[in-house]
């Protein structure tokens, strides 16, 4: 490896994980709640809200990055927060990218299954709160898959974090932005190495999440 990677690699990994875990955690809560609420609600123009969310699911990250940049820049409406070119700004951009994805996937799953689950809950005499808990537990696999998908999008994204984070050494440089920098410098071997490390980290995190998920399912089956 080059001296750059020798001295920075652990910091780059730390920034990447901080950003990805924080943004995915926030988006998991927001996306799940909004997806279930959207499926539950009935109001004029709901089709438009669903269509907008599906559009946002495919929004180019650089567009989100540009919007967040304009909002957080010194003369922007949120410039007083003074968080542009920080990990927090990167998390905000990631949340705006990931939340619609999780929301859309949860909404689709709930739309397909919620009616039958609620009917079963009513048959068993469950309260509205108990029925909602039952719905979440029955959709836990779909919600888990949506969150994992969001995490994969977060850890692999480069456009938005490059714009709002600035790829600042030792502060906001992530693995994807570092790979882009190495490629621009012609350090292809180091870029490939860092890409392999990124894939390994994503694999290990997903494996850990799968193990935790399986233990939870076994615990539920034994209740």
């Amino acid at each position: 490896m080059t001296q750059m990677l020798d001295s920075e690699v652990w910091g780059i990994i730390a920034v990447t994980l901080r950003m990805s875990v924080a943004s995915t955690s926030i988006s998991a809560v927001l996306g799940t709640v909004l997806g279930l609420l959207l499926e539950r609600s009935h109001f004029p123009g709901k089709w438009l809200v669903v269509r907008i969310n599906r559009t946002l699911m495919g929004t180019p990250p650089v567009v989100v990055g540009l919007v967040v940049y304009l909002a957080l820049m010194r003369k922007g409406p949120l410039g007083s927060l003074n968080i542009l070119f920080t990990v927090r700004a990167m998390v905000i951009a990631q949340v705006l990218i990931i939340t619609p994805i999780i929301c859309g996937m949860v909404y689709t799953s709930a739309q397909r299954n919620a009616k039958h689950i609620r009917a079963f809950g009513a048959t068993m005499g469950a309260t509205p709160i108990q029925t909602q808990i039952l719905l979440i537990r029955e959709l836990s696999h779909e919600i888990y898959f949506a969150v994992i998908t969001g995490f994969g999008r977060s850890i692999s994204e480069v456009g938005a974090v490059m714009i709002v984070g600035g790829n600042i050494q030792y502060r906001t440089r992530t693995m994807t932005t570092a790979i882009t920098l190495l490629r621009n410098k012609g350090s292809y071997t180091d870029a490939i190495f860092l890409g392999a490390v990124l894939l390994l980290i994503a694999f290990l995190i997903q494996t850990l999440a799968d193990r935790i998920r399986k233990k939870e399912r076994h615990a539920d089956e034994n209740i």
Side-chain angles (χ1 to χ4, degrees):
M1 291 188 297
T2 64
Q3 185 176 0
M4 170 199 162
L5 283 185
D6 288 339
S7 60
E8 291 185 50
V9 65
W10 293 113
I12 291 172
I13 292 174
V15 170
T16 301
L17 291 179
R18 281 173 55 202
M19 177 196 68
S20 300
V21 172
S23 59
T24 304
S25 299
I26 296 171
S27 297
V29 176
L30 292 177
T32 301
V33 171
L34 292 175
L36 293 176
L37 183 62
L38 184 60
E39 183 278 330
R40 178 79 173 180
S41 303
H42 300 282
F43 54 89
K46 178 180 176 179
W47 67 272
L48 181 59
V49 174
V50 173
R51 185 66 57 83
I52 291 173
N53 183 81
R54 288 175 178 169
T55 301
L56 293 176
M57 291 175 69
T59 301
V62 290
V63 175
V64 176
L66 178 60
V67 171
V68 175
Y69 177 86
L70 293 174
L72 297 179
M73 64 186 297
R74 184 171 299 179
K75 295 182 180 180
L78 301 178
S80 59
L81 296 177
N82 195 31
I83 60 173
L84 188 62
F85 302 136
T86 66
V87 174
R88 283 182 290 177
M90 294 157 64
V91 169
I92 291 173
Q94 292 277 27
V95 168
L96 293 178
I97 293 170
I98 303 169
T99 299
I101 296 174
I102 297 177
C103 175
M105 295 180 69
V106 171
Y107 168 75
T108 300
S109 298
Q111 188 181 40
R112 185 170 56 248
N113 301 305
K115 182 178 179 179
H116 304 292
I117 296 172
R118 290 195 181 99
F120 175 77
T123 302
M124 299 299 293
T127 65
I129 294 178
Q130 290 174 328
T131 302
Q132 193 65 22
I133 294 174
L134 175 64
L135 175 62
I136 294 174
R137 293 184 68 172
E138 290 298 317
L139 294 178
S140 60
H141 179 73
E142 288 79 4
I143 293 173
Y144 167 76
F145 182 72
V147 172
I148 287 296
T149 301
F151 176 79
R153 180 68 179 269
S154 175
I155 200 171
S156 63
E157 205 283 309
V158 60
V161 297
M162 181 77 80
I163 293 174
V164 302
N167 197 24
I168 301 173
Q169 189 177 31
Y170 302 119
R171 289 181 56 191
T172 60
R173 181 166 294 167
T174 65
M175 300 186 74
T176 53
T177 59
I179 291 170
T180 301
L181 177 63
L182 289 168
R183 192 267 301 171
N184 291 338
K185 294 171 62 176
S187 301
Y188 300 114
T189 301
D190 291 337
I192 292 173
F193 168 79
L194 206 55
V197 173
L198 177 61
L199 289 174
L200 178 61
I201 291 174
F203 174 80
L204 292 176
I205 291 176
Q206 184 164 339
T207 300
L208 177 61
D210 285 342
R211 287 185 176 275
I212 294 174
R213 171 66 182 148
K214 287 179 180 178
K215 287 183 179 180
E216 291 178 346
R217 293 180 67 179
H218 287 318
D220 290 339
E221 292 172 356
N222 293 329
I223 292 178

